[in-house]
């Protein structure tokens, strides 16, 4: 995995059924965003930026904390 696609964000909280642990590591081109929205089936999981970081596999990742779920309109 090259540096441009290596994970730099960790998504914490929310449903482990909709967003399993292996999908919580993300690459964001801009870490200065306030929110991240991830499509999970028929809904979006929303995460908000925190001031925290976490160390995973010797890589420091910015932590985004689960905030809410919204469903797709029919």
């Amino acid at each position: 995995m090259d540096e441009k696609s290596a994970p730099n964000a960790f998504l914490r909280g929310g449903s482990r059924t909709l967003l399993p642990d292996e999908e919580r590591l993300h690459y964001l081109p801009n870490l200065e965003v306030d929110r991240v929205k991830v499509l999970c089936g028929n809904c979006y999981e929303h995460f908000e930026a925190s001031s925290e970081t976490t160390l995973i596999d010797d890589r420091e990742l910015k932590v985004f904390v689960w905030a809410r779920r919204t469903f797709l309109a029919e």
Side-chain angles (χ1 to χ4, degrees):
M1 180 177 303
D2 65 40
E3 285 297 313
K4 290 188 178 185
S5 63
N8 59 3
F10 177 72
L11 308 178
R12 183 174 68 203
S15 171
R16 283 196 164 146
T17 303
L18 291 175
L19 191 62
D21 289 344
E22 59 271 9
E23 295 179 25
R24 292 179 178 274
L25 301 177
H26 274 266
Y27 169 75
L28 299 175
N30 178 7
L31 281 176
E32 300 303 315
V33 297
D34 293 330
R35 294 175 194 86
V36 175
K37 179 169 78 170
V38 179
L39 180 62
C40 297
N42 68 340
C43 63
Y44 286 102
E45 296 291 316
H46 298 260
F47 296 83
E48 294 183 353
S50 75
S51 59
E52 296 177 59
T53 60
T54 188
L55 194 62
I56 297 176
D57 295 331
D58 295 327
R59 181 176 295 276
E60 189 173 20
L61 307 175
K62 183 171 182 174
V63 175
F64 287 78
V65 179
W66 185 84
R68 68 186 180 283
R69 174 181 302 138
T70 56
F71 290 90
L72 299 174
E74 290 186 18

